[in-house]
Amino acid sequence: MKQKILLTALATIGLLGTTVGAEKLRVAYSASPVTVDPYRSSNTPSGSLNSHIYEGLVDRTNENLLGTKFTWESPTRLVVDLRQGVKFHNGADFTSRDVLYSVCRMMYRVNGKNNVITNSLSPVTDVEALGPYKVAFDTGKPYPILIQKLKYLYIMSASLGTDVPQTIVYDKDGNCGIGAYATTAEVESGVAGIGTGPFKLAQFTKNGTTKMVRNDDYWGQKSDWTELEISPVINSGARVAGLLSGDFDVIESPSLEDMQALDKKDGFSYVTTPSWRTIFILMDVGSDQANGVTTPDGKNPFKDIRVRKALSLAINRQAIVDRLLGGKATVAKQFAPEYMPGAETDLPPLPYDPEGAKKLLAEAGYKDGFSMELFVPSDRYPNINRVGQVIAQYWTKVGLSVALKPQPWSVFSKTRKARKLGVWLYGWGHPQGFTQMISFNYPTRNTELNLGSSNYSNYQNAEVDTWMQKWAVEIDTDTADAYGRNAMKVIVEDMAGIPLYYQHSAWAFRSGLAVKGRPDEFTNAKGISKK
């Protein structure tokens, strides 16, 4: 009943219904956004959807948005100048007070639980308004990646809260003297789903079509589209069928076969863009036993570097890219694309040598191989099930017994976090820079420096810890990048995981459109225009 009342109200104020001369853009996502509350999920579909409604101080692609200048006044104090003349969808002016409200809401424990991205700002000790269009972020110790972490701080209006002080005093628990925040339910209903972005939320339905209308008061370049509909369509065949039938104008992640078919059809096209996502294999390299792995000696084989290197040598990465992915990926040499700013560019290719792999396995005591389960998130990354099948075949050819275990992301992610995986295929994007994945995954866990929080491999290396601890407190970008490159070299040499390829993102679309892909894999109407 509440939803019906809300939709009636939205239609009354012009957020639903067809406008005279309306230009509607219909987009099919390849995965379902789970919320339009910007602090409750950090997954790509939700972030992609929310980027139409909300804006951060800085974009994931490093473009300045609501922040116009970022200045380190000291190693522990970042001052941000704010964009002036910006209004929220409800007409409220954007000021530093809204930044304070948003930081506090991000840090506030909803139903006793942290927001999923609360840790991004956990080193921040204070946030202070220095006038209506300037804020300062203070950290107890140097936290040089703060600007990168601010990419996750979408700004919400302080007008959405209850009993919000005119001067908000920050505290790390997110109470901040605020009577009550807009709830996730209010945000998802549309009542509080209000930002400064190029589109206004009209209707959000989990696992269904989300409707938006253009924000005609947007401070930046206005969209060509007066209406936007985003629908999750998980099956690739169903997405391309929807494109061909005219149900959608743009679709995400067409398969290789889809793109080959579109080459033969008039009126349709596609574009691919090298992304910042690496597809790789992780192993439990530190435990005495690895889940799903059975060996004759009862040990964890991945603790032996010879086994890890053998698994890498058994894989023909170039064949995967050329034959399986149709050339629409880049062979990986490390855990972040070398075309990212600051990344190492001189690492040698990872060789393919199945005979060498057999020799190393024999030297490690596994001449007759061992058995393992390879877990794959079946609905997360393009072509990932086929990649898993090929990896299993490569390892079988060098004498291993591999059982492929595809799981939907909802199951896979929980199993991973519970540390119940011994070997798994995975992907990681790098919107925070080329060190993002290795800073989370390979250092020994260090909550003070925000390192190693996703070290499900149980990997430990003192040299890696040294380089990453230096990186974590270095505010000079060039010096920090050098530390990150040093750590990356050690991790690759140690074969703590197995890099495979850098994913290319793809979009298919009808004629008459121009589509510009993004390296962070977001599908945003900003990049879709009429020719």
Side-chain angles (χ1 to χ4, degrees):
M1 186 66 181
K2 288 183 178 180
Q3 180 74 358
K4 183 175 180 181
I5 293 172
L6 173 65
L7 295 182
T8 302
L10 291 174
T12 301
I13 62 176
L15 291 184
L16 287 176
T18 303
T19 313
V20 175
E23 292 282 356
K24 181 184 292 186
L25 179 68
R26 300 158 303 166
V27 180
Y29 277 13
S30 59
S32 297
V34 298
T35 183
V36 286
D37 186 330
Y39 307 146
R40 298 306 293 161
S41 175
S42 60
N43 70 22
T44 296
S46 298
S48 184
L49 175 69
N50 290 339
S51 67
H52 294 91
I53 305 165
Y54 312 98
E55 295 176 300
L57 301 177
V58 61
D59 192 31
R60 286 162 58 103
T61 55
N62 300 312
E63 171 193 359
N64 287 349
L65 291 175
L66 297 180
T68 59
K69 184 179 179 182
F70 298 79
T71 305
W72 285 103
E73 287 193 344
S74 78
T76 60
R77 186 174 176 86
L78 175 68
V79 175
V80 183
D81 291 1
L82 304 179
R83 192 174 299 278
Q84 301 183 32
V86 177
K87 288 186 178 294
F88 287 94
H89 299 157
N90 62 358
D93 292 325
F94 163 67
T95 68
S96 55
R97 183 167 175 258
D98 304 300
V99 177
L100 267 292
Y101 173 85
S102 299
V103 177
C104 289
R105 189 179 185 274
M106 179 193 277
M107 300 304 293
Y108 186 71
R109 291 173 64 88
V110 180
N111 298 325
K113 298 179 180 179
N114 284 339
N115 286 301
V116 295
I117 51 179
T118 298
N119 286 342
S120 296
L121 295 187
S122 59
V124 173
T125 56
D126 194 20
V127 186
E128 179 185 3
L130 305 177
Y133 299 108
K134 185 174 289 193
V135 293
F137 293 83
D138 290 305
T139 57
K141 295 184 178 180
Y143 188 53
I145 59 170
L146 176 59
I147 297 174
Q148 299 293 329
K149 296 294 186 179
L150 289 175
K151 293 176 177 180
Y152 295 93
L153 177 65
Y154 281 127
I155 302 301
M156 306 181 78
S157 175
S159 66
L160 302 175
T162 302
D163 296 329
V164 181
Q166 187 58 41
T167 300
I168 300 174
V169 179
Y170 175 77
D171 65 67
K172 293 198 67 169
D173 293 327
N175 294 311
C176 303
I178 294 170
Y181 292 100
T183 66
T184 295
E186 289 172 333
V187 173
E188 292 183 345
S189 74
V191 171
I194 292 169
T196 62
F199 285 89
K200 300 178 181 180
L201 177 65
Q203 179 183 355
F204 170 72
T205 307
K206 288 185 179 181
N207 300 318
T209 297
T210 296
K211 298 180 180 181
M212 306 180 213
V213 298
R214 185 172 65 194
N215 175 15
D216 288 327
D217 295 321
Y218 184 55
W219 62 267
Q221 183 176 351
K222 294 177 180 60
S223 175
D224 287 352
W225 314 105
T226 56
E227 298 180 34
L228 174 63
E229 291 186 357
I230 295 175
S231 304
V233 182
I234 309 304
N235 181 270
S236 176
R239 285 196 304 278
V240 76
L243 176 67
L244 295 175
S245 67
D247 292 334
F248 304 116
D249 303 303
V250 180
I251 65 170
E252 289 184 337
S253 304
S255 68
L256 176 60
E257 291 81 5
D258 293 337
M259 289 185 277
Q260 290 171 339
L262 290 174
D263 280 332
K264 302 174 184 178
K265 289 186 176 291
D266 293 331
F268 300 94
S269 188
Y270 60 86
V271 63
T272 61
T273 299
S275 81
W276 290 341
R277 185 178 300 280
T278 306
I279 303 297
F280 52 92
I281 295 163
L282 287 173
M283 304 156 283
D284 182 346
V285 303
S287 301
D288 291 334
Q289 299 286 332
N291 285 323
V293 179
T294 303
T295 59
D297 58 10
K299 297 179 180 179
N300 177 0
F302 308 127
K303 295 180 78 170
D304 191 321
I305 189 173
R306 294 171 295 186
V307 173
R308 303 197 297 270
K309 289 191 172 183
L311 295 184
S312 177
L313 287 171
I315 299 169
N316 189 337
R317 295 167 176 80
Q318 194 65 58
I320 291 175
V321 167
D322 291 344
R323 301 172 194 169
L324 187 63
L325 305 178
K328 295 174 175 60
T330 300
V331 171
K333 301 176 183 178
Q334 56 185 310
F335 292 97
E338 49 260 32
Y339 46 77
M340 291 193 71
E344 180 62 60
T345 59
D346 294 329
L347 286 174
L350 296 170
Y352 170 54
D353 182 2
E355 293 305 314
K358 293 177 183 178
K359 182 179 178 181
L360 283 176
L361 287 171
E363 290 177 2
Y366 301 109
K367 179 180 179 181
D368 296 323
F370 55 85
S371 63
M372 66 173 120
E373 297 174 331
L374 172 60
F375 288 84
V376 179
S378 58
D379 56 354
R380 188 67 171 180
Y381 311 111
N383 301 297
I384 201 67
N385 291 306
R386 293 183 181 180
V387 173
Q389 291 169 2
V390 170
I391 296 300
Q393 291 170 7
Y394 279 134
W395 286 348
T396 299
K397 288 179 181 179
V398 298
L400 303 178
S401 176
V402 184
L404 198 63
K405 296 289 184 179
Q407 293 182 332
W409 177 254
S410 58
V411 176
F412 176 92
S413 59
K414 292 178 181 178
T415 309
R416 181 181 66 96
K417 289 180 180 179
R419 299 181 181 272
K420 294 182 179 180
L421 302 182
V423 194
W424 63 104
L425 192 58
Y426 199 51
W428 199 299
H430 295 79
Q432 298 172 27
F434 79 94
T435 49
Q436 180 180 353
M437 179 268 180
I438 63 170
S439 72
F440 278 90
N441 203 78
Y442 288 121
T444 302
R445 186 173 178 85
N446 185 325
T447 55
E448 192 172 314
L449 296 178
N450 210 22
L451 295 171
S453 60
S454 297
N455 189 345
Y456 302 116
S457 305
N458 299 307
Y459 176 74
Q460 285 188 311
N461 184 298
E463 186 176 0
V464 171
D465 288 344
T466 296
W467 289 123
M468 293 310 296
Q469 287 168 17
K470 287 177 177 288
W471 167 84
V473 297
E474 179 55 62
I475 64 172
D476 180 79
T477 300
D478 291 341
T479 303
D481 285 348
Y483 293 149
R485 289 192 295 270
N486 289 341
M488 183 74 77
K489 290 176 185 177
V490 176
I491 294 166
V492 173
E493 176 61 29
D494 212 15
M495 203 52 68
I498 303 175
L500 297 176
Y501 58 89
Y502 311 131
Q503 184 171 291
H504 291 190
S505 299
W507 293 264
F509 49 93
R510 63 171 174 82
S511 61
L513 299 181
V515 177
K516 183 179 180 181
R518 290 172 54 116
D520 64 352
E521 303 175 343
F522 274 17
T523 300
N524 189 291
K526 273 188 177 183
I528 304 171
S529 59
K530 293 180 286 186
K531 286 186 177 179

